[in-house]
């Protein structure tokens, strides 16, 4: 019997449009012999929709017009199933639009890659591909992530973080920390993506500006030593905590300029290119010697493991082009295009990658179902109201 797979894409994120592209790539790669695919579009206000109209990329040119023609839905647990229900039903309209067996998440950034949608699916007991709530959240929050990487001996650049408001309270203290790192530094909000809110500062004045920009996007602001001259190398890891494999490496970009969101996507969108997130220059496999390649692959597997990741992730590295020192930059737990282009070069087709993601999702659900999360006994059977508090 075919599995009903809901592919979620969109979301309230600066990467909304990129996610629509990833979603469509994932849908096209799901084998129709094995799966019935249900597209689930999460609009920028987080409402969910489905419709066959969502399958055609041309329909996204006018999002308001698209939304007016598609069906807003909700997912509901009914008996042992997760059922898709239209939010508004007419007298003779369908009350249910089918069931879902598992979800594939193609959502990038906030509210999609950060544990939010994962938590929603956990409440529904619906298996989903990719990281669980905690690893997704850690994957999105660069502060938590860096602490875990550092604690596990993975190489990261020198850094510190403060809350945005600490700059108002004691700017001198913050500036002292920056000067200890030695300019230039790079300033980032803890939880955005696509370089949003990120800038480089060469002196105190630029730092204050960069800090102000970063705090517009998050309460937590990271300051990091700039790696320069820098080469960016990425690896994809596929699997879970039981077994994982690593792809060939890619080298991205050709200059040391910091690509901002506009450079990355908007210039490309205007020129009408369909490459989307794949627009930056990539060399696959990365031109590195065998020992360096193997070292980065080993670091990628360790990063995946210590962050508790699963599904398909992309782990980004920076190499100091002079000293050849390698740093882990960050994990992307739902990478653009699901990093399929790295797997094709590693002997796994995109449809095979999708099969693996579904398999890993169902496997996690099976393993979790065997774990104890609650007891059948009702401790309240003997409860009588008193004045004592509840001890947890
Ligand atoms: N320490 C650093 N030194 C030099 N460039 C950096 C450094 N950290 C990040 N960058 C550049 O900024 C880009 C975006 O930073 P990143 O931490 O990956 O944030 P995002 O989540 O927005 O992708 C990186 O791809 C890299 O080109
Ligand atoms: Mg990045």
């Amino acid at each position: 019997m075919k599995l009903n797979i809901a592919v979620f894409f969109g979301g309230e994120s600066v990467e909304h449009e990129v996610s629509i592209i990833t979603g469509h790539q994932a849908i096209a790669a799901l084998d129709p012999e094995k799966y019935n695919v249900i597209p689930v579009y999460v609009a920028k206000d987080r409402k969910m929709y489905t419709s066959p109209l969502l399958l055609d990329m041309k329909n996204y040119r006018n999002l308001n017009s698209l939304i007016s023609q598609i069906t807003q839905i909700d997912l509901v647990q009914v008996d042992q199933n997760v059922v898709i229900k239209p939010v508004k039903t007419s007298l003779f309209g369908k009350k249910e639009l089918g069931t879902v067996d598992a979800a594939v998440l193609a959502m990038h950034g906030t509210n999609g890659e950060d544990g939010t949608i994962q938590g929603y699916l956990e409440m529904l007991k619906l298996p989903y591909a990719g990281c669980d709530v905690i690893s997704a959240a850690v994957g999105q929050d660069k502060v938590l992530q860096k602490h875990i990487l550092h604690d596990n001996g993975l190489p990261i650049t020198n850094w510190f973080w403060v809350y945005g408001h600490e700059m108002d309270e004691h700017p001198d203290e913050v500036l002292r920390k920056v000067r200890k790192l030695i300019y230039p530094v790079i300033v980032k909000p803890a939880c955005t993506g696509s370089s949003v809110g990120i800038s480089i500062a060469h002196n105190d004045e630029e730092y204050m500006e960069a800090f102000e920009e970063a705090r517009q996007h998050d309460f937590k602001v990271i300051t990091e030593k700039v790696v320069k001259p820098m080469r960016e190398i990425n690896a994809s890891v596929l699997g879970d905590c039981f077994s994982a494999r690593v792809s060939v490496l890619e080298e991205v970009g050709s200059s040391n300029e910091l690509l901002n969101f506009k450079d990355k996507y908007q210039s490309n969108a205007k020129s009408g290119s369909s490459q989307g997130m794949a627009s930056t220059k990539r060399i696959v496999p990365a031109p590195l010697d065998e020992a360096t390649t193997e070292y980065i692959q080993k670091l990628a597997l360790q990063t995946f493991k210590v962050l508790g990741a699963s599904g398909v992730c992309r782990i980004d590295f920076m190499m100091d082009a002079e000293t050849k020192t390698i740093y882990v930059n960050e994990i992307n737990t739902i990478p653009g295009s699901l990093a399929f282009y790295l797997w094709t070069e590693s002997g796994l087709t995109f449809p095979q990658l999708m099969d693996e993601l579904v398999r890993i999702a169902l496997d996690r659900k099976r393993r979790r179902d065997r774990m104890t999360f609650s007891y059948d006994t009702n401790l309240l059977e003997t409860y009588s109201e008193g004045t004592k508090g509840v001890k947890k």
Side-chain angles (χ1 to χ4, degrees):
M1 219 177 70
K2 286 192 199 178
L3 284 173
N4 295 334
I5 305 290
V7 178
F8 286 73
F9 54 91
E12 189 181 358
S13 154
V14 294
E15 293 163 286
H16 183 88
E17 288 79 4
V18 186
S19 160
I20 295 174
I21 299 175
T22 299
H24 277 74
Q25 291 173 329
I27 288 170
L30 280 160
D31 183 350
E33 299 283 316
K34 298 179 185 160
Y35 312 108
N36 296 313
V37 179
I38 307 142
V40 178
Y41 172 57
V42 185
K44 290 184 181 180
D45 62 2
R46 304 192 201 181
K47 291 190 186 115
M48 297 185 298
Y49 298 86
T50 194
S51 163
L53 289 176
L54 292 170
L55 296 171
D56 188 347
M57 277 304 289
K58 281 200 292 299
N59 294 333
Y60 293 82
R61 287 185 185 152
N62 183 336
L63 291 179
N64 289 337
S65 152
L66 175 65
I67 285 169
S68 69
Q69 299 172 68
I70 56 184
T71 312
Q72 192 191 339
I73 55 160
D74 208 354
L75 300 183
V76 185
Q77 277 195 71
V78 180
D79 303 324
Q80 299 305 309
N81 297 317
V82 175
V83 174
I84 306 172
K85 297 209 175 200
V87 169
K88 296 172 194 153
T89 45
S90 59
L91 194 55
F92 302 107
K94 282 189 191 166
K95 303 278 182 287
E96 287 184 3
L97 302 174
T99 59
V100 184
D101 299 310
V104 166
L105 303 181
M107 297 173 70
H108 305 309
T110 44
N111 305 303
E113 203 173 339
D114 62 359
T116 308
I117 188 96
Q118 291 79 359
Y120 171 70
L121 299 175
E122 289 286 348
M123 286 304 287
L124 291 166
K125 288 182 164 279
L126 185 68
Y128 54 94
C131 285
D132 66 4
V133 175
I134 294 169
S135 50
V138 164
Q140 185 73 13
D141 186 317
K142 292 181 168 65
V143 170
L144 297 178
Q145 192 182 134
K146 280 180 189 292
H147 280 303
I148 295 174
L149 294 179
H150 182 72
D151 273 10
N152 285 281
L154 283 148
I156 57 170
T157 51
N158 286 337
W159 73 295
F160 72 91
W161 76 276
V162 291
Y163 284 111
H165 61 83
E166 289 182 68
M167 184 58 105
D168 307 329
E169 290 155 10
H170 39 75
D172 290 348
E173 221 169 278
V174 180
L175 285 172
R176 247 197 314 276
K177 285 186 185 176
V178 187
R179 291 186 202 124
K180 242 170 92 182
L181 281 186
I182 305 175
Y183 286 112
V185 295
I186 184 162
V187 188
K188 311 177 178 179
C191 292
T192 50
S194 294
S195 306
V196 168
I198 298 184
S199 37
I200 290 176
H202 300 85
N203 50 51
D204 287 0
E205 198 187 336
E206 283 180 19
Y207 181 75
M208 295 306 271
E209 252 176 61
F211 193 96
E212 268 316 299
E213 172 59 25
R215 70 185 283 198
Q216 302 305 314
H217 302 275
D218 205 305
F219 295 139
K220 296 190 231 171
V221 176
I222 289 174
T223 307
E224 218 178 291
K225 178 91 189 123
V226 162
V227 179
K228 200 178 174 189
M230 191 261 283
R231 290 175 69 183
E232 286 195 81
I233 314 288
N234 303 336
S236 180
V237 177
L238 170 66
D240 53 22
C241 64
F242 303 101
S243 130
R245 53 183 148 162
V246 62
S247 72
V248 296
L249 305 183
E250 67 171 335
E251 178 158 6
V252 211
S254 56
S255 75
N256 290 318
E257 290 297 307
L258 175 64
L259 281 179
N260 65 26
F261 183 76
K262 234 168 101 196
D263 299 333
K264 262 189 188 165
Y265 304 120
Q266 290 177 340
S267 56
N268 196 47
K270 277 198 198 102
S271 69
S273 160
S274 59
Q275 291 288 301
M277 70 224 88
S279 62
T280 35
K281 242 190 244 163
R282 303 173 181 284
I283 310 169
V284 185
L288 294 168
D289 62 61
E290 208 172 302
T292 312
T293 302
E294 278 173 17
Y295 174 60
I296 294 176
Q297 286 176 322
K298 196 177 97 199
L299 293 180
L301 284 166
Q302 283 174 356
T303 299
F304 185 88
K305 183 177 167 195
V306 302
L307 297 177
S310 53
V312 69
C313 296
R314 199 189 72 224
I315 292 139
D316 297 351
F317 296 86
M318 296 182 291
M319 178 197 259
D320 184 317
E322 258 163 35
T323 65
K324 309 286 181 241
T325 314
I326 312 275
Y327 304 95
V328 181
N329 179 27
E330 62 161 352
I331 192 168
N332 293 282
T333 59
I334 307 184
S337 301
L338 302 182
F340 80 88
Y341 53 90
L342 288 175
W343 288 102
T344 358
E345 293 299 314
S346 311
L348 201 68
T349 63
F350 200 175
Q352 285 171 333
L353 172 64
M354 297 311 295
D355 287 347
E356 267 302 283
L357 289 179
V358 173
R359 185 193 66 72
I360 295 166
L362 297 176
D363 190 53
R364 176 173 57 207
K365 178 74 167 45
R366 263 192 300 272
R367 288 178 196 269
R368 285 179 66 108
D369 283 350
R370 288 201 295 267
M371 288 179 170
T372 309
F373 293 112
S374 72
Y375 296 112
D376 288 336
T377 47
N378 180 0
L379 300 179
L380 298 180
E381 269 171 10
T382 55
Y383 179 81
S384 61
E385 270 183 65
T387 50
K388 279 190 188 159
V390 179
K391 188 163 158 246
K392 215 167 87 107

